Amino acid sequence: MSNEKAAIREWTRAQSRLGRKAVRSVVGSGLLAGLVGIGQAWCVAVILGHALALWKAGGSGDTFPLWPFLLFPCLAVLRALAMVGGDMGAARAGIAARQRLRAEVLSSILAGGPSLLRRTHSGALAATVVDRIEALDGFFGHWLPASILWIATPLVILVPVGLVQPRAALVLGLCGLSVPICQAVFGIGAAVASRNQFLAMTRLQARFLDRVKGIATIVLAGRADDEARKLAASAEDLRLRTMKILRVAFLSSASIDCAMAVAFILLAIMDGRQALAVLAGGSTGAAPVPGLEGSMTAGLFALLAVPEFFAPLRALALAYQDRAHAQGAATAILELPAADAGPASPSGPVVLPSSVSVAMEDVSFTWDAARGPALEHISFMAQPGETLVLAGASGSGKSTIMELLLGFIRPDTGQVLFNGTPVENIAPEILSGMISWIGQKPVLFAGTLRENILFAKPGASEAALASAVKAASVDEFLPALPEGLETQVGEGGFGLSGGQAQRVAIARAYLKNAPVLLLDEPTAHLDPETEKTVFESLQRLAAGRTVILATHSAATHMFSGQRIDLQSGHIVLRQGAA
C-alpha cells in the first residue's frame, strides 16, 4: 500500500511539473485580477470615506474626488479581460493535458494488446480512457493555477493592506493561515472518497457493458429482473459515494466562510469603530474632524479587501476536489502496462519490404508462473513466400505464438525475428504494415460492409475494393443483402453469418496486401462446408505471402509447406522443415 501511495504521489508530481508550464498565463491573469480587485476596493473605499466625512460635516468640507469614479470602470474592464484570459488559458491547458494523457493511456493499452484484457475488464479500460482522463480537466485547468495563486495573490494583497492598515494585514494573514490546515484535513477524506467513487463508477460501467453484451443469455435465462436490480444497486452505490464527495466539498467550503467571517468581525472591531461612531452618533453639520476621512477610508479599504484576500483561497477549496480526482485517476493509469517507446518512427514515407521471413529463436514465454510456461524453447523459420502450419490442441501455445509475432507481448527468453531483425527493433508502423491478421472471430464494427472492408486501407480505390471483394468471395453473398456493400451490420458483425464475417476479414487482408499473413484458427467456429470455402479463399490470399497458420482443423492439407505440431508449449513434431 505504501508503494502504491508513493507511486501515486510521484505521478501527481510529474503531472504537476508538466502542467505548470501550461498555466503560467493563467497564474499571471489571476495575479492581475487580484491586484485590479484591490484597486477597485480602494476606489470604493475612497468614495465611501468621502461620503461619510461629508455626511458627518453636514455637506461642508472638501469637494467629492472625481478620479475614483473614472478609475473604477476602467479597472472593471481590465479585470474582466484578465478573468476571460485566465479562463481561456485554463481551458487550453486542460485540453492539451487531456490530449497528452489520453494518448499516453491509449499507447499503454495498445502496448498491452489483447493480453491486457486477460487481467483488466474492457469496461474499466473505457472508464480510464474516457471518464478518468476527462475528470482531470479540473486538475490542470483549476487546481494547478489555484495551488500557486492561493499563496501568491494573498501575499500581493497583503502589501497594500499592510501599508494602509498594518493591523488589518496581520488579521488577514492569521485567518488565511487557518484555511490550508482545514483543507489538508478535508482533503484526505476527499481523496479517499474520490477513489471510492471512481471505483464504483468503473464497476457499474463494467457490469453494464457485460450485461449488454450478454443480453440474449440474460433474457433466455429469465434473469432480466435480477440483473436490473443489481444494476440499480450499483447505481445507488455510485450515488451514495458521489454524495459523500459533495459533503466533504461543502465542509471544505464552510471552513473558508468561517475564516472570512472571523476576519470581518475582527476588522470591524479593530478598524471600523470610527466609521460606526460616525454612522451612529452625533448630529450632522458639525465641523469636519481632522483625519476622519483618511481613517474611515483605511478602515473601509481593509474590510473591502477581505473578499479579495480570500477569493484565491476559495478557488483552492473548490479545486481541491480536482486534485482528489487526479489521485483517483492515477490509481487506474498506473495499473496499465508501461508504453514501450521502441524504435523511432520513420520520418518519411513508410517503405515496406516486398518479402519477409519470419523466425523464432529459442523463445519461451510464461503467462502465469503458477500455471507454468506457455511456450518453451520454440524455434522455427518461415522463408519468404512459405507457409508454416502450427497444429495442436487448444492450449498448446498456438495463440501465444501469434501474439508474440504480432508484437503484443515480448518473449521471456529468445527472439522473434522479421527478416532477421528483432521485433522490438522494428518501428510499430512498419510492423503493422507488414502483417495482416485473421483471427478466430473477426472484429467487425457497427457500420456498412464497405466501411468494414476499407478499415484496412481507407484510401483504397474502388477498383482495389472490388478486387478484394471478388477475391474473398464476398460478392457471392452480396446479392442477398438489401443494400450490397452499403448494408449496415451491427457490432461484432451482427446480421452476418460466421462464414460471411470471415470473408469480410479476408477481403480486408486482400486490400491491405501485406507480405506476412497470420491466421489464428480462422475456421474454428464454422461448419465443414463453410470451412472449405473459407480455406479456398485463404489459399488465394496466401499466394506469394509468408503465412503462419495456427489451427487444429483437419483441412490443413489444403496448405503445403512446413508443419509443426505443438503440445503443452513444446514442439513435438516437425514436418517439411528445411
Side-chain angles (χ1 to χ4, degrees), residues 87-250:
D87 289 343
M88 292 178 64
R92 287 193 296 267
I95 291 172
R98 280 180 287 143
Q99 288 177 339
R100 172 178 57 80
L101 275 174
R102 191 165 279 122
E104 292 176 1
V105 170
L106 285 173
S107 297
S108 296
I109 293 174
L110 292 175
S115 60
L116 182 61
L117 296 177
R118 295 173 184 265
R119 57 183 184 275
T120 307
H121 195 282
S122 57
L125 294 177
T128 300
V129 173
V130 180
D131 295 319
R132 294 195 180 229
I133 298 298
E134 202 65 27
L136 291 176
D137 178 67
F139 176 78
F140 292 99
H142 300 146
W143 164 255
L144 290 181
S147 66
I148 300 173
L149 290 172
W150 82 273
I151 296 177
T153 305
L155 287 177
V156 169
I157 289 174
L158 284 178
V159 173
V161 174
L163 293 175
V164 175
Q165 198 75 300
R167 291 181 300 171
L170 178 62
V171 170
L172 286 177
L174 292 176
C175 291
L177 287 175
S178 67
V179 173
I181 298 174
C182 296
Q183 294 304 304
V185 173
F186 292 124
I188 295 172
V192 175
S194 179
R195 284 195 292 270
N196 291 336
Q197 190 251 7
F198 266 123
L199 180 61
M201 182 185 297
T202 300
R203 288 173 177 169
L204 176 61
Q205 289 177 323
R207 174 179 286 274
F208 181 74
L209 182 60
D210 265 346
R211 273 46 183 183
V212 168
K213 287 182 176 180
I215 192 168
T217 303
I218 292 171
V219 172
L220 291 174
R223 297 294 303 276
D225 291 339
D226 292 340
E227 291 301 327
R229 282 193 292 270
K230 290 178 181 178
L231 282 172
S234 296
E236 178 65 13
D237 180 50
L238 176 61
R239 184 190 70 82
L240 293 174
R241 294 180 187 274
T242 303
M243 294 306 296
K244 186 176 181 179
I245 292 177
L246 293 177
R247 285 198 299 271
V248 175
F250 286 139

Side-chain angles (χ1 to χ4, degrees), residues 282-309:
S283 58
T284 59
V289 179
L292 175 62
E293 177 186 315
S295 176
M296 287 190 296
T297 299
L300 288 168
F301 173 66
L303 289 172
L304 291 171
V306 172
E308 297 295 338
F309 179 85

Side-chain angles (χ1 to χ4, degrees), residues 395-458:
S396 60
K398 303 186 301 297
S399 294
T400 301
I401 290 177
M402 287 295 177
E403 292 204 31
L404 286 164
L405 293 173
L406 289 165
F408 292 139
I409 55 178
R410 295 284 186 262
D412 298 333
T413 61
Q415 288 186 312
V416 179
L417 307 171
F418 287 83
N419 277 348
T421 303
V423 67
E424 58 268 19
N425 295 336
I426 302 175
E429 291 84 354
I430 294 178
L431 181 64
S432 63
M434 288 193 303
I435 297 175
S436 289
W437 171 76
I438 300 175
Q440 300 179 24
K441 187 176 181 181
V443 177
L444 300 185
F445 304 101
T448 65
L449 276 182
R450 176 188 297 275
E451 291 169 343
N452 273 282
I453 297 174
L454 288 175
F455 188 80
K457 193 175 181 180

Side-chain angles (χ1 to χ4, degrees), residues 371 373-375 392-400 521 552 566-570:
R371 298 168 60 185
L375 296 175
S394 296
S396 60
K398 303 186 301 297
S399 294
T400 301
E521 302 280 8
H552 58 261
L566 296 168
Q567 183 176 349
S568 301
H570 296 84

